[in-house]
Amino acid sequence: MEQIIFATKNKGKIKEVKSILHDFEVISMEEAGITLEVIEDGKTFIENAVKKAKEISKVTGKITMADDSGLEIDFLDKKPGVYSARYLGENTPYIEKNNHILHLMENVPEQKRSARFVCAIATAFPNGKVLTTQSTIEGLIAHEIKGENGFGYDPIFFVPEKGKTTAELSPEEKNNISHRGKALKKMKELLTKEEEMSH
Ligand code: IMP
């Protein structure tokens, strides 16, 4: 298969994508020399991922993969959801966003603290075909900030099976069970099938 552009500026994501999709030649937007900004105005993670992948594939004429992810907290009507990056303002430090959520969840009992990270991935081909996958990791909103790894909402996302927040897991441990890791592995299967069909 030809090169695949992965539409993100996030270096951590690119590293993860390259390691999971090691059978494919994945390049970043930077490596492809693209600076296009796509407005994420979809109502769902899938809509945003498809929009990004399609627009960039259209401009570059290359196979393009894009993702969209976020945190859904059931007690907060699935907020921050697709607005996870923009919640309380794009430039607000996560320590503030996380403390605000902990405050909103104060005195909320364990059984009502359910939450999940969601990740949608779309791959758009120059002929207009689009493949999509979506995966989640289920957890609970913790009672305090814990852990130094990861990013974003990881320090308040507690995974009961591990007895830890995702910020306390090593990158490998997190990739194995995470929304993004699982959605990428599903996408890898779809791409492998696609490649087999084209031979
Ligand atoms: P995007 O997918 O890059 O648009 O960003 C989604 C936002 O969701 C991030 O900026 C984080 O706030 C949040 N998010 C998505 N995945 C994770 C994760 O694995 N850990 C912590 N926060 C995440």
Side-chain angles (χ1 to χ4, degrees):
M1 192 173 280
E2 318 153 36
Q3 277 185 336
I4 300 175
I5 297 176
F6 192 85
T8 186
K9 290 189 192 107
N10 181 322
K11 294 228 160 68
K13 273 191 197 173
I14 274 287
K15 221 167 134 188
E16 199 178 314
V17 173
K18 283 187 176 178
S19 103
I20 293 176
L21 298 176
H22 54 84
D23 300 334
F24 297 89
E25 194 192 341
V26 178
I27 60 167
S28 64
M29 301 257 282
E30 198 181 4
E31 286 164 332
I34 303 156
T35 49
L36 193 73
E37 200 73 51
V38 179
I39 296 168
E40 296 180 20
D41 54 1
K43 285 188 194 69
T44 64
F45 297 105
I46 290 275
E47 263 181 60
N48 280 332
V50 169
K51 185 179 180 206
K52 252 190 279 186
K54 269 186 156 173
E55 285 191 19
I56 293 167
S57 172
K58 217 173 176 179
V59 170
T60 58
K62 293 200 176 204
I63 304 172
T64 305
M65 195 182 292
D67 79 335
D68 193 42
S69 57
L71 175 67
E72 288 183 351
I73 302 174
D74 292 327
F75 186 77
L76 303 179
D77 297 325
K78 302 215 161 134
K79 285 192 191 100
V82 286
Y83 300 104
S84 291
R86 287 161 280 173
Y87 185 61
L88 302 180
E90 185 118 37
N91 297 322
T92 303
Y94 273 91
I95 181 88
E96 272 180 46
K97 299 192 195 204
N98 285 336
N99 273 322
H100 182 75
I101 290 173
L102 290 183
H103 178 67
L104 294 176
M105 299 292 288
E106 228 167 47
N107 304 320
V108 174
E110 223 53 27
Q111 66 273 20
K112 289 190 178 165
R113 303 185 74 89
S114 55
R116 69 202 55 76
F117 279 127
V118 183
C119 178
I121 298 188
T123 304
F125 293 79
N127 67 4
K129 184 168 182 165
V130 182
L131 302 172
T132 59
T133 63
Q134 181 166 297
S135 288
T136 59
I137 172 172
E138 297 287 332
L140 301 170
I141 296 304
H143 292 274
E144 57 184 6
I145 285 174
K146 250 186 172 172
E148 307 282 327
N149 300 332
F151 67 100
Y153 301 101
D154 280 328
I156 60 165
F157 189 81
F158 182 79
V159 183
E161 299 89 81
K162 297 279 180 189
K164 289 177 181 173
T165 67
T166 39
E168 293 178 288
L169 299 176
S170 69
E172 294 73 31
E173 274 179 307
K174 187 184 162 192
N175 287 349
N176 265 330
I177 58 166
S178 81
H179 49 317
R180 194 168 300 102
K182 291 191 286 188
L184 270 172
K185 280 178 203 146
K186 279 199 220 167
M187 182 52 76
K188 184 181 175 174
E189 284 171 26
L190 295 185
L191 288 172
T192 306
K193 272 194 203 135
E194 193 68 25
E195 198 169 44
E196 282 166 6
M197 281 189 327
S198 69
H199 283 312

